[in-house]
Amino acid sequence: MYCLCSDKSFDEIIAQQSEARLPLNKFFDTFTDCTTTGCGSCIEPLTAELSINDLLIPESHE
Amino acid sequence: MIYPKLFLDMEAARWNLANDIPWQNFNADKLSDRQLHGIKMNALLEWAAAPAVAMFLRDNSTDPDFSAFVSIWFYEEQKHSLALLEYLRRFAPDFFPTMDEFKEVSFEFDPASPLETLGMHFCGETRLNQWYRCASDYHDEPVIKSIYATLAADEARHARAYFQYMKQAVAEQGNAAKLHFAKIAVLMTNPRVNPALHPTNLHVNQELYPRDTITSRLPDPAWLRHWLDQEIKFDLEWEKKVEKGILGNLSALFSEKLSSPAELRHYRKRLEDMNAGSPEAAMA
C-alpha cells in the first residue's frame, strides 16, 4: 500500500524501520506524517505490517 | 461490513469547524482578491458533492454498506464547502456565492458503473489531497493555509475509505473488479486525456453536454486550470505524488507492481485479454 500523506510506500516505510528499529511512536514521527500533518488512516495497517515483520517495538522497550 | 469501523475511525479524526480552525489568526494583508476568487470557486466545487451523492445512492442501491458510508462522505464534503464559505462570510462577504451559483453546480449525473465511479473517486480524492497540500503551501494567510491543510487530511482519509471498498470488490469479484479500476486509473493518470484529472472535470450528463462538468458550470469555468498552473503551481513534482499515490495503492490492490502509467496500461490490456479469453478468468 501507499501512504498518501507520507508520500511513501509501506515497503519503503517498513524498510526504514528494519534499519532503525524505533519504538512505535518514534517510528510514526520519524518515518511517516501519519501522526503530524497526515490523516492517520495508515496508522492501523502500518502497525499491523510492523507486527507481521517482527518490527513492532513497544514504547516500554525504548 | 466496512461502514461501522469507518464511522468510528472518521468520528475519532473529525475536526470542529468552530474550534479547530484558527479563525483568530486571520491576516488580511496576506490575501489578494484573486485568492478570494479561488476560495469562492473551490467552495462551489466542494458543494457539488450533493449530485455525486445522489448518483452514489442511486447506482449503489443494492449495497447498504457503501450507501451508509456515503452519508459520512457527504457530511464531510459539505463541511469542506462550509469551511471555505465561513472564511468568505467572515473576511470577504462580497465573494460569498449567490444561491443561483450554488444551484448551477447541482445537476443530475448520468448512471455509470458503480465500480468505475468508486475507482474514480479514489483517484479524485488522491489528487485532491495533493491539490490542497499544494494550496496550503501556496497561501500565506494563516487561516486559509490551515483550512487547506485540514481539508487535505480529510481527502486522504476518504481515499483510504474508498480503497477499502475497492479491496472488498476485488475480493468478491476478482479480475472483473480489477478491470474496472484499472480502466479508470488509466484515465486518471493520463494528463494528455484531461489536464485536470478530477471527477469535477469529467462529463457526467450527456443531455447537458458540453456544460456537463462541474467546472464548466462555475461562474468562472477557466478558474481551475488557471489556479493549478498559474497560482498554486501544481507542477510535475506534485503530479508525480498523485501518480505514486494511485499506482502505489493499485499495486497493492492488484498484487502487481505498477511503477508507471505505461505499466498500468499494459496491465489493463492483459486483464482485458484474460477476461475476453475466459469468463471464469474474470472471477479469478
Side-chain angles (χ1 to χ4, degrees):
Chain A
M1 294 218 293
Y2 195 91
C3 178
L4 299 178
C5 306
S6 311
D7 195 21
K8 288 179 190 170
S9 69
F10 278 25
D11 288 347
E12 286 174 84
I13 296 168
I14 296 296
Q16 288 178 314
Q17 170 69 345
S18 70
E19 293 287 317
R21 302 188 71 86
L22 299 177
L24 191 60
N25 288 342
K26 201 163 181 194
F27 157 80
F28 277 113
D29 291 347
T30 307
F31 299 135
T32 78
D33 290 332
C34 298
T35 48
T36 51
T37 57
C39 78
S41 56
C42 290
I43 291 175
E44 202 173 297
L46 268 173
T47 305
E49 282 287 318
L50 289 179
S51 183
I52 289 165
N53 289 281
D54 205 19
L55 291 168
L56 183 63
I57 317 291
E59 292 302 309
S60 57
H61 291 195
E62 195 172 4
Chain B
M1 194 178 244
I2 297 170
Y3 165 70
K5 174 77 164 60
L6 277 179
F7 183 94
L8 291 175
D9 289 348
M10 292 185 147
E11 192 170 55
R14 193 155 296 141
W15 48 278
N16 183 292
L17 180 61
N19 303 325
D20 293 331
I21 302 296
W23 301 107
Q24 70 283 0
N25 294 346
F26 179 70
N27 184 343
D29 295 340
K30 298 194 170 181
L31 196 62
S32 69
D33 279 0
R34 180 65 198 176
Q35 289 173 326
L36 286 165
H37 176 71
I39 293 163
K40 171 181 174 174
M41 294 302 119
N42 212 334
L44 286 166
L45 273 194
E46 290 280 354
W47 195 266
V53 165
M55 178 189 192
F56 268 140
L57 294 178
R58 180 195 61 208
D59 295 352
N60 291 279
S61 61
T62 57
D63 186 345
D65 181 2
F66 182 75
S67 296
F69 163 69
V70 169
S71 70
I72 303 176
W73 183 74
F74 189 23
Y75 168 82
E76 295 194 352
E77 295 295 345
Q78 286 292 148
K79 188 176 164 192
H80 292 177
S81 187
L82 188 59
L84 296 166
L85 292 171
E86 178 61 12
Y87 185 88
L88 295 176
R89 189 190 67 78
R90 286 181 185 232
F91 308 126
D94 289 351
F95 285 84
F96 201 92
T98 65
M99 193 47 73
D100 283 344
E101 288 170 336
F102 285 119
K103 285 179 184 170
E104 194 62 17
V105 295
S106 299
F107 61 101
E108 193 174 353
F109 296 176
D110 288 339
S113 151
L115 289 184
E116 289 176 16
T117 306
L118 174 62
M120 188 181 70
H121 276 268
F122 164 75
C123 295
E125 300 285 9
T126 299
R127 177 168 294 280
L128 211 45
N129 166 255
Q130 298 297 348
W131 281 358
Y132 286 169
R133 283 169 167 259
C134 185
S136 180
D137 285 358
Y138 155 73
H139 278 281
D140 292 321
E141 197 291 302
V143 180
I144 194 65
K145 208 174 176 60
S146 166
I147 289 175
Y148 274 122
T150 302
L151 303 196
D154 276 3
E155 305 299 8
R157 214 172 290 116
H158 295 167
R160 181 60 72 217
Y162 283 126
F163 187 74
Q164 289 188 47
Y165 284 102
M166 291 164 74
K167 275 171 74 176
Q168 179 176 261
V170 167
E172 290 172 352
Q173 301 177 45
N175 283 349
K178 288 181 185 175
L179 189 53
H180 284 296
F181 298 143
K183 175 184 165 188
I184 288 299
V186 165
L187 171 72
M188 301 296 270
T189 54
N190 185 352
R192 280 175 303 180
V193 175
N194 182 341
L197 299 159
H198 188 260
T200 52
N201 234 357
L202 298 179
H203 293 280
V204 289
N205 184 323
Q206 209 166 6
E207 280 185 13
L208 295 175
Y209 182 85
R211 289 193 70 245
D212 65 331
T213 67
I214 299 293
T215 49
S216 71
R217 302 175 74 87
L218 291 176
D220 176 4
W223 164 75
L224 181 61
R225 190 69 262 168
H226 189 272
W227 185 68
L228 291 169
D229 291 345
Q230 308 299 323
E231 295 172 46
I232 68 170
K233 300 197 188 308
F234 197 84
D235 59 15
L236 203 59
E237 197 179 323
W238 283 100
E239 195 61 47
K240 272 280 166 205
K241 289 175 197 256
V242 175
E243 190 180 291
K244 282 167 71 181
I246 293 173
L247 295 178
N249 281 306
L250 289 189
S251 295
L253 186 68
F254 297 158
S255 304
E256 175 86 19
K257 178 82 177 152
L258 302 167
S259 305
S260 67
E263 285 184 15
L264 175 63
R265 287 196 295 276
H266 292 143
Y267 177 72
R268 178 197 172 189
K269 182 75 176 60
R270 286 211 320 271
L271 277 177
E272 280 177 337
D273 292 346
M274 254 192 296
N275 285 4
S278 150
E280 292 78 26
M283 293 303 293

